[in-house]
Structures are given as C-alpha cells and as structure tokens.
Amino acid sequence: MSRVVVFGAGGRAGRAAVAEARRRGHQVTAVVRDPGAHGSLPMDGVRLVVGDAADPDSVAKVAAGHGAAISAVYDASARPDAFYPGVARVLLDGPSWASRPPDVVEGSGSGGGPGRAVRAGHAHGDETVTARY
C-alpha cells in the first residue's frame, strides 16, 4: 500500500480518484481548499486536509511522505492556460518528496467534449504523455 495525495479532492474527478485509490488499498490524503464543504470525504483510510495546489509551500506541507500525487483541481476564476501548467509545475518541482519525486497525474478540461486532455508526468524524468479525447 502506498500513500497518495489528491489535490482537488472535493470535485467530481477528485472524489472519483479518492474512491479509486481507496479501492486499490492506498492511504489517501484528500486536499481541498474548504474542508467544511466536503464533510463526506473523510472515510476509512482518507485524511482530509486544507491545501492549495498552486502554492508551493502548501503542496510541500501536505505532500510530504506521499509516493504519488493526483491533480483534479479546478478554478473557475483562473485562466486555464496559466493555471493548469502552473499547478503541474508546482507539483513536479515544488515539494521535497520523501524518497523520490512522485508520479503525477493531472486532468484538465471540463465536460466530455473534444480537446479534453489528461497528462501524466514523472518528476524524476523528462517524459510527459498527453492523451486527448
């Protein structure tokens, strides 16, 4: 069992990621900006914490000791072309990961329409994979 941190755990994609990680037996830290709005998230094996995926200090604090990070963040007030790459950079470059940099999975886009992308990157390598559907 590994430790997985899910940023944006309060949204639809984040909740699905939390549930899937738990189903697979991982210990999960669910990161949200407002824990009061997500009272149903704390479940067996899930720790609910306050955090901001765009803030390197916040990410470093909540991600310590985790082997994988999932970004399911959304900010309606932010420009997507700046927000999502910025969050990915913070997650890949910002924290001091315990043993090695984590595998990071980031989803972006909304709805099921064309142009929706999912990117997976490895902070310990140069490989980034983008899949559009």
Side-chain angles (χ1 to χ4, degrees):
M1 171 172 28
S2 66
R3 296 184 67 203
V4 177
V5 59
V6 179
F7 293 91
R12 190 175 359 184
R15 286 177 182 272
V18 167
E20 181 63 19
R22 281 303 302 139
R23 187 188 71 74
R24 293 180 182 213
H26 300 294
Q27 293 176 339
V28 178
T29 299
V31 184
V32 297
R33 288 178 283 188
D34 179 8
H38 306 290
S40 64
L41 271 175
M43 59 182 91
D44 184 40
V46 177
R47 182 173 66 109
L48 182 65
V49 300
V50 175
D52 182 352
D55 176 357
D57 292 333
S58 177
V59 170
K61 180 180 175 182
V62 301
H66 292 78
I70 298 172
S71 174
V73 297
Y74 175 72
D75 186 343
S77 67
R79 287 186 31 221
D81 60 331
F83 177 71
Y84 293 110
V87 166
R89 274 190 298 280
V90 168
L91 291 176
L92 290 170
D93 300 333
S96 299
W97 300 99
S99 58
R100 68 167 179 84
D103 296 329
V104 175
V105 177
E106 176 189 32
S108 64
S110 60
R116 189 164 184 205
V118 174
R119 290 181 294 281
H122 303 279
H124 52 288
D126 294 329
E127 177 184 2
T128 300
V129 177
T130 301
R132 294 197 177 277
Y133 59 96

